[in-house]
Amino acid sequence: LAKTTQPISMDSYEGQEVNITCSHNNIATNDYITWYQQFPSQGPRFIIQGYKTKVTNEVASLFIPADRKSSTLSLPRVSLSDTAVYYCLVGERGNIPTFGRGTSLIVHP
Amino acid sequence: KAGVTQTPRYLIKTRGQQVTLSCSPISGHRSVSWYQQTPGQGLQFLFEYFSETQRNKGNFPGRFSGRQFSNSRSEMNVSTLELGDSALYLCASSSEGTYNEKLFFGSGTQLSVL
């Protein structure tokens, strides 16, 4: 099973770009990389998903190098409302997603 | 389309009691999974149901059980509550529950065991 490793916490300031990197050395050929965002006392919310290279939507970008052993979630010009926990998931065989501890992002004024 | 609905939002129970939590998935979704979230252990998978059958189960004791009805709504039950069962219980639904599929979460039920 592909295990993911993310920083426990990160700090940023409003207006800055934030990059959160996730390591997944044992990613399998069929695995996609998915990122979720969670606010306190709420369920996680899907942000973005990708397989290789770069994916962009209205919220974030996801960069995946050719070897796919890591991925980087990029949040452009963060605001206070982006303060949340961000989880990186790699598709798990047997349909048991493992969320891990995620990265707690705090955005300061 | 309505999102995933979990009831109740908050619940207070005492040790030894049992509790039933409810989850209504997004219309058309047939897979429902349950998670327990605590500050100490993070988000942990409990079980997943698809077409009224439990398809996957996490590493939790038998006190934790669930079921799914023909309309895809799901319930989870915790019997003989322990203090350590205090947690946010989250339900997620997806269309088929297949590999890599996006999950849609409810806002959860915050359970406090006294």
Side-chain angles (χ1 to χ4, degrees), chain A residues 6 13 21 26 42 48 57-58 64 67 75-76 81 93-94 100:
Chain A
Q6 308 174 231
Y13 292 89
T21 297
N26 297 323
Q42 292 186 29
I48 197 166
N57 61 22
E58 64 278 4
I64 305 168
D67 66 8
L75 304 172
S81 63
R93 297 194 184 280

Side-chain angles (χ1 to χ4, degrees), chain B residues 44-58:
Chain B
Q44 293 187 290
F45 173 83
L46 280 157
F47 29 66
E48 185 238 354
Y49 286 86
F50 180 81
S51 291
E52 302 179 66
T53 301
Q54 185 181 90
R55 199 159 60 170
N56 288 292
K57 189 177 190 305

